[in-house]
C-alpha cells in the first residue's frame, strides 16, 4: 500500500473519530488528532504538500478541541511551512499568525516568537534565492496618518511584507505609548 493510500485511510479514520453518530455521542478528538498527524506525515513523504496542509489544519483543530494547545500550535506551524513550500505566502502568514495566537494562549511566548522568526528567515532566504535583494527602507518625515488612512493603505496591498508589517505594529505601539 502506498503512502498516499495509507494517508487517505488515516484521514477517513480521523474524520470518523471527529464525528458523532447514533451510539457515539461525543467526538474522540485525541484519536482524530493522531490520525490526522499520521496522514500529514505520509502526505509530506509523498510530497503532496496541499493535502499535508489540509491534514495539519484538521490536526490543529482536533488538538485545539481536545485541549492540547501546544500541539495545536505545532500543527499550525507545520501547515505554515507547507504553505511556504507551495509559495502560498498569504496562507502561510495566516497560519503563522494562528500558530502565534495559539502559543500565546497556551502561555508559550518563546514558541510564539519563534514562529515569526522562522517565517521571516524563510522569506528572506526565498527573496535572496530569487535574486531580488531587499534594500532597507528609508523613511521621510511626513504628516501623521490617521488610523483610517493606514487601514486604506493596508487594503491596497495584497503582498505579504513582513518587515513593513512589523514597522507598522511598532509605530502603533509607539503612538499608544505602551
Amino acid at each position: 500500500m502506498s503512502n498516499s493510500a495509507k494517508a487517505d485511510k488515516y484521514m477517513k479514520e480521523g474524520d470518523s473519530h471527529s464525528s458523532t453518530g447514533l451510539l457515539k455521542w461525543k467526538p474522540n478528538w485525541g484519536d482524530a488528532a493522531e490520525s490526522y498527524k499520521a496522514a500529514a506525515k505520509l502526505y509530506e513523504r509523498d510530497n503532496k504538500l496541499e493535502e499535508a496542509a489540509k491534514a495539519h489544519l484538521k490536526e490543529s483543530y482536533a488538538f485545539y478541541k481536545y485541549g492540547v494547545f501546544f500541539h495545536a500550535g505545532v500543527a499550525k506551524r507545520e501547515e505554515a511551512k507547507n504553505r511556504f513550500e507551495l509559495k502560498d505566502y498569504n496562507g502561510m502568514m495566516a497560519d503563522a499568525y494562528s500558530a502565534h495566537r495559539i502559543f500565546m494562549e497556551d502561555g508559550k511566548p518563546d514558541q510564539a516568537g519563534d514562529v515569526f522568526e522562522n517565517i521571516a528567515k524563510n522569506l528572506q532566504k526565498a527573496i535572496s534565492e530569487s535574486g531580488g535583494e531587499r534594500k532597507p527602507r528609508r523613511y521621510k518625515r511626513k504628516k501623521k496618518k490617521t488610523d483610517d488612512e493606514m487601514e486604506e493603505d493596508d487594503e491596497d496591498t495584497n503582498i505579504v511584507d513582513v518587515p513593513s508589517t512589523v514597522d507598522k505594529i511598532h509605530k502603533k505601539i509607539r503612538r499608544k505609548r505602551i
Side-chain angles (χ1 to χ4, degrees):
M1 186 183 281
S2 70
N3 284 341
S4 294
K6 287 180 187 176
D8 291 338
K9 180 182 154 225
Y10 280 124
M11 287 296 286
K12 286 180 185 175
E13 187 179 306
D15 290 339
S16 70
H17 285 303
S18 63
S19 63
T20 58
L22 183 62
L23 299 175
K24 183 179 165 192
W25 295 356
K26 291 193 312 186
N28 188 346
W29 293 114
D31 290 343
E34 293 300 327
S35 295
Y36 292 136
K37 186 177 187 176
K41 286 182 181 180
L42 290 171
Y43 280 134
E44 286 172 351
R45 285 185 196 156
D46 276 357
N47 206 21
K48 293 186 175 185
L49 298 178
E50 187 66 38
E51 287 86 359
K54 289 177 186 175
H56 280 303
L57 173 66
K58 288 186 173 188
E59 173 193 355
S60 175
Y61 181 75
F63 272 127
Y64 192 85
K65 292 294 278 186
Y66 191 55
V68 184
F69 299 119
F70 177 77
H71 289 295
V74 169
K76 271 298 192 185
R77 185 175 60 198
E78 292 298 317
E79 183 183 357
K81 286 179 186 176
N82 288 336
R83 298 274 181 217
F84 175 76
E85 293 295 324
L86 292 168
K87 296 187 182 351
D88 178 13
Y89 298 122
N90 289 331
M92 175 197 63
M93 286 303 293
D95 293 335
Y97 178 74
S98 295
H100 177 268
R101 184 182 50 79
I102 291 169
F103 282 131
M104 289 301 288
E105 187 176 327
D106 192 31
K108 307 265 190 298
D110 293 341
Q111 291 287 328
D114 288 346
V115 169
F116 284 130
E117 183 179 344
N118 291 335
I119 293 297
K121 285 178 184 177
N122 288 337
L123 284 175
Q124 188 65 36
K125 183 176 158 186
I127 289 170
S128 64
E129 286 176 358
S130 68
E133 280 297 318
R134 178 134 181 126
K135 296 178 183 174
R137 292 184 173 193
R138 304 252 183 234
Y139 292 101
K140 295 179 184 176
R141 289 197 172 247
K142 305 185 223 182
K143 67 174 189 143
K144 289 186 176 180
K145 290 185 177 182
T146 63
D147 288 338
D148 293 333
E149 291 173 332
M150 289 180 78
E151 287 178 12
E152 289 174 4
D153 289 345
D154 289 344
E155 290 172 3
D156 293 341
T157 60
N158 290 331
I159 300 172
V160 175
D161 190 11
V162 174
S164 68
T165 305
V166 172
D167 290 341
K168 287 178 186 176
I169 292 170
H170 284 285
K171 285 181 183 179
K172 284 184 181 180
I173 290 171
R174 276 186 262 149
R175 248 190 266 133
K176 292 181 181 179
R177 294 190 174 121
I178 293 177

